[in-house]
Amino acid sequence: MENIIKGKAFVLGDNIHTDQIIPAEHLVYSLTDEEESKKYGHFALSSVPIEKSGLPNGGIKFIEGDNYISEYKIIIGGSNFGCGSSREHAPFALQKAGVLAIVAESYARIFYRNSVDGGFLVPLETPEKLNNLVSTGDEIEIDLSTYFLTNKTTDKTYTLNNLGNVLPIVEAGGIFDYARKNNMI
Amino acid sequence: MGMTITEKIMAKSAGKKNISIGESIWLNVDTLMTHDVCGPPVIGIWKNEFGEKAKIWNKDKLVIFPDHYIFTANKHANRNVDILRQFAKENDVDNYYDVGTDRYKGVCHVALAEEGYNVPGNVLIGTDSNTCTSGAFGMFATGVGNTDGAFIMGTGKIWEKVPESMKFTFNGELPEYLTAKDLILTILGDITTDGATYRAMEFDGSGVFSLNMDERMTLTNMAIEAGGMNGIIAADSVTEEYVKSKGITDYEIFNSDNDAIYHSKYNYDVSKLEPVVAKPHSPDNKDTVRNVAGTKLTKCYIGSCTGGKLSDFKMAAKILIGNKVKIPTFIVPASTQVAKELAEETIDGVSLIDIFKNSGCDIGQSSCAACLGGPDDTFGRSVDKDVVISTTNRNFPGRMGSKKSEVYLASPLTVAASAINGVITDPRDFL
Ligand code: SF4
């Protein structure tokens, strides 16, 4: 695990559900075929209503044109991020699109587990809502050794919750690597 | 200190005497369920991670129901079922219910009950968020993603944080116009879609125990819509009778202690509750049917694990008998067994299926169908600016197909009444 995560912020509202992250009609593509799985990146966040996509102003596409990689590496959400279905395709799609971390007030349980156990990205929780303090496009730096998030654009720093007892799984890079490290499998 | 039913089952499964809220423990899984959308990636991860020595920890404990994208020409969707078939063959998985055979069942959560996989006191994990449905049988049941599914497939184990519990007590006997769907939509309106995140939702009270198993499953089915880890109803004589009819004799009944600790408790008097809907675009956007009555609709849908069970159709038929629907109304029996029962069950000597046909409904084949939209050729899928009233469990934009459509969630009684008028209608007008 890298201790420093850097990138541009993409800001979303509360209750971003898995149907918005990756709509059900796209769940049929292979997750293992390198070429085909790029479609997940291409359609990531494609069902977020456009006026709520890229806050505070909205109207910003997460993925431009035919791309499958987004220019935004850090997602700033509100409460209950990733609610809805159990589809692991959701954190997978975000990872495919190049997302490294999500920062939100709270997560739906299955999305949180999937992100951690699959080693797709780091789901970080904040004690206060950050999605009205950060704007889409702001340059963000997260230090996982101190749990500080710095908005380089506004030069403000915020504290994140520590990862608690999922830290060893995040550090190992997912549940399988964790289990191998601990001789469970 | 007392324990809740959820804590007791988790402790048993972890082989521990005492567990504390917030602690992460390793559970021994009794049953793992997967389906055609998540099964192929689960299999992919399992093969990848365990390599040559990949072995199912206990193949009798693995159950696979293809159910999501079944009656479609979509080649990617059909490829997924091919992967399941191949896997079941290679690994001798007896509990595989293949499409196109007599064994085919349909929607997994309903089929789990029918096929006798729901066992009081057990731990059941499924790669589907609505796996919480099985909690209606006094068991711990929850949904996970593909990686967790693959991990269980190889090890039989899963880590879980012991959740806080919330208790929802319904007192009194449900009046004829009220259903389990109204109860759970009422709760959702009160606590919102993240009101139970990471928590157990325990349902209790005379109103709950007066319900049959179908209706109890409607309650626990939507625990996830409030973010709940699991929904649970202690097993009683109704549960025992059901599981015994499936040949299950080895089970354990747990009850919460009187001095168990709860995060919060909610009490409802069912005689004071009304039929409700969840308005677009969220299951917690509650309103009374009376308040939205008259809203113009273009489609009605009765189906899914939430609202496509036998008792759901009995309720709908009670209203539809002798009436004609005004707008396209889709009937999708959740499972092939429910489909069979629609032909056998009668009201005033007319089978339910004939009641639906006579009133002008379209009958589909057992599967998830338009509950989650599905490929373009999916039966009952919403198109363009459809305004749908549905017995399903989610109404997020695009969930039933078109992103421009609007979906109201309601009980089978309310949907049937609305089908007759073509506008949202209170079922009491027909009872
Ligand atoms: S019927 Fe709907 S909610 Fe139930 S398992 Fe199928 S898609 Fe999920």
Side-chain angles (χ1 to χ4, degrees):
Chain A
M1 186 180 73
E2 295 286 337
N3 266 334
I4 303 285
I5 301 173
K6 275 195 234 183
K8 273 193 185 150
F10 194 78
V11 183
L12 295 165
D14 292 338
N15 297 311
I16 294 297
H17 54 77
T18 53
D19 282 281
Q20 289 176 324
I21 299 171
I22 183 77
E25 63 199 285
H26 300 305
L27 301 183
V28 293
Y29 315 128
S30 168
L31 295 148
T32 43
D33 182 277
E34 198 42 45
E35 210 34 52
E36 197 175 317
S37 65
K38 288 177 182 166
K39 285 185 193 272
Y40 285 105
H42 176 67
F43 289 112
L45 295 178
S46 62
S47 242
V48 175
I50 188 70
E51 68 278 8
K52 292 187 180 147
S53 179
L55 298 175
N57 299 327
I60 302 173
K61 283 198 173 143
F62 180 63
I63 299 276
E64 285 294 341
D66 294 338
N67 289 348
Y68 73 96
I69 300 268
S70 173
E71 62 174 298
Y72 306 98
K73 303 286 173 228
I74 295 170
I75 291 185
I76 311 280
S79 61
N80 202 24
F81 193 97
C83 59
S85 77
S86 67
R87 64 189 72 154
E88 192 161 310
H89 309 73
F92 179 83
L94 293 173
Q95 183 200 39
K96 272 278 156 189
V99 173
L100 302 171
I102 303 177
V103 178
E105 221 185 333
S106 62
Y107 293 87
R109 166 183 161 272
I110 301 179
F111 182 88
Y112 186 83
R113 291 187 69 96
N114 286 345
S115 301
V116 169
D117 284 358
F120 297 112
L121 41 83
V122 188
L124 291 155
E125 288 178 333
T126 53
E128 57 177 331
K129 253 188 187 330
L130 289 191
N131 61 344
N132 42 23
L133 299 170
V134 177
S135 301
T136 297
D138 286 359
E139 292 289 346
I140 301 293
E141 191 173 305
I142 296 169
D143 186 341
L144 286 177
S145 59
T146 57
Y147 291 105
F148 284 144
L149 178 153
T150 304
N151 185 340
K152 295 271 180 198
T153 307
T154 61
D155 211 19
K156 290 219 164 72
T157 295
Y158 309 93
T159 310
L160 305 169
N161 295 350
N162 75 51
L163 283 162
N165 51 18
V166 302
L167 178 66
I169 305 176
V170 172
E171 277 178 338
I175 190 73
F176 282 99
D177 289 323
Y178 169 82
R180 271 188 281 269
K181 246 171 106 175
N182 292 281
N183 298 318
M184 286 180 68
I185 57 174
Chain B
M1 197 174 61
M3 290 167 88
T4 66
I5 177 171
T6 299
E7 290 158 12
K8 287 182 186 179
I9 298 172
M10 287 180 110
K12 178 193 107 173
S13 172
K16 290 182 157 211
K17 253 214 157 79
N18 296 305
I19 53 174
S20 44
I21 289 166
E23 176 186 358
S24 288
I25 54 174
W26 287 92
L27 303 180
N28 289 301
V29 176
D30 295 299
T31 306
L32 172 67
M33 186 280 298
T34 190
H35 53 51
D36 56 306
V37 171
C38 293
V42 166
I43 293 164
I45 296 168
W46 171 77
K47 282 190 177 158
N48 217 2
E49 296 287 347
F50 291 100
E52 287 293 300
K53 59 177 191 320
K55 203 175 151 278
I56 302 170
W57 100 104
N58 183 337
K59 74 178 184 63
D60 296 332
K61 294 186 171 187
L62 173 66
V63 192
I64 308 176
F65 295 109
D67 60 353
H68 275 59
Y69 300 153
I70 303 305
F71 304 104
T72 170
N74 183 293
K75 65 174 197 304
H76 292 297
N78 289 322
R79 180 181 64 185
N80 277 343
V81 179
D82 292 341
I83 294 172
L84 296 182
R85 186 176 298 132
Q86 183 68 23
F87 169 82
K89 207 170 137 202
E90 278 170 15
N91 294 279
D92 264 332
V93 178
D94 293 335
N95 308 325
Y96 172 58
Y97 296 87
D98 203 4
V99 182
T101 71
D102 291 348
R103 286 174 60 76
Y104 175 67
K105 293 290 174 253
V107 182
C108 55
H109 310 300
V110 174
L112 279 171
E114 291 169 350
E115 294 302 299
Y117 294 106
N118 289 349
V119 180
N122 272 10
V123 170
L124 183 150
I125 309 288
T127 61
D128 188 284
S129 60
N130 293 97
T131 302
C132 49
T133 311
S134 295
F137 287 77
M139 65 195 301
F140 178 80
T142 190
V144 295
N146 305 334
T147 298
D148 284 335
F151 192 82
I152 296 168
M153 204 150 95
T155 64
K157 292 191 189 304
I158 182 175
W159 68 268
E160 280 294 355
K161 258 189 211 176
V162 179
E164 292 182 291
S165 287
M166 297 170 85
K167 191 176 204 151
F168 301 89
T169 307
F170 289 93
N171 287 313
E173 201 161 320
L174 270 68
E176 196 191 5
Y177 51 82
L178 211 63
T179 72
K181 187 63 172 285
D182 298 298
L183 305 188
I184 191 68
L185 289 178
T186 299
I187 292 176
L188 272 155
D190 290 349
I191 70 170
T192 79
T193 51
D194 64 348
T197 298
Y198 259 100
R199 301 199 189 104
M201 294 174 77
E202 185 177 324
F203 304 98
D204 197 8
S206 54
V208 171
F209 290 105
S210 70
L211 299 173
N212 62 30
M213 292 315 294
D214 276 1
E215 281 283 271
R216 292 184 194 189
M217 285 163 73
T218 302
L219 267 185
T220 48
N221 175 276
M222 291 185 71
I224 183 65
E225 267 55 72
M229 177 186 287
N230 65 318
I232 195 159
I233 301 170
D236 66 353
S237 57
V238 176
T239 326
E240 283 193 84
E241 197 183 311
Y242 185 106
V243 299
K244 279 185 182 146
S245 78
K246 304 293 172 191
I248 299 163
T249 49
D250 192 11
Y251 56 85
E252 196 172 350
I253 294 184
F254 292 94
N255 283 287
S256 294
D257 295 327
N258 287 333
D259 57 346
I261 307 284
Y262 288 90
H263 166 271
S264 48
K265 290 182 180 177
Y266 291 77
N267 292 300
Y268 297 91
D269 172 355
V270 291
S271 69
K272 299 219 171 79
L273 299 179
E274 280 200 64
V276 288
V277 294
K279 296 184 286 189
H281 292 285
S282 183
D284 61 359
N285 196 8
K286 184 196 86 171
D287 208 339
T288 60
V289 176
R290 284 229 162 111
N291 268 346
V292 292
T295 304
K296 228 176 136 18
L297 300 164
T298 62
K299 256 182 199 166
C300 296
Y301 189 93
I302 307 179
S304 85
C305 50
T306 327
K309 303 180 290 310
L310 179 63
S311 67
D312 297 304
F313 291 114
K314 275 190 189 166
M315 291 190 263
K318 190 165 73 179
I319 294 218
L320 285 172
I321 188 164
N323 287 303
K324 291 269 182 231
V325 299
K326 217 178 216 158
I327 49 175
T329 298
F330 300 93
I331 302 280
V332 186
S335 69
T336 50
Q337 184 178 317
V338 173
K340 221 175 101 218
E341 287 162 346
L342 291 189
E344 292 162 3
E345 282 281 332
T346 58
I347 297 178
D348 297 340
V350 192
S351 72
L352 301 189
I353 198 81
D354 283 338
I355 293 172
F356 295 133
K357 282 184 186 155
N358 295 341
S359 63
C361 300
D362 293 317
I363 323 271
Q365 290 170 285
S366 301
S367 75
C368 295
C371 173
L372 84 163
D376 280 346
D377 57 354
T378 301
F379 181 79
R381 195 176 194 274
S382 77
V383 294
D384 202 32
K385 290 190 178 155
D386 264 339
V387 183
V388 187
I389 193 163
S390 171
T391 64
T392 52
N393 52 26
R394 287 180 185 155
N395 58 350
F396 304 128
R399 168 72 183 186
M400 292 191 76
S402 165
K403 282 173 207 151
K404 288 184 238 153
S405 65
E406 297 192 331
V407 178
Y408 289 79
L409 305 176
S411 79
L413 293 175
T414 303
V415 174
S418 305
I420 297 168
N421 289 342
V423 297
I424 296 182
T425 303
D426 194 300
R428 281 169 288 191
D429 296 356
F430 286 94
L431 288 167

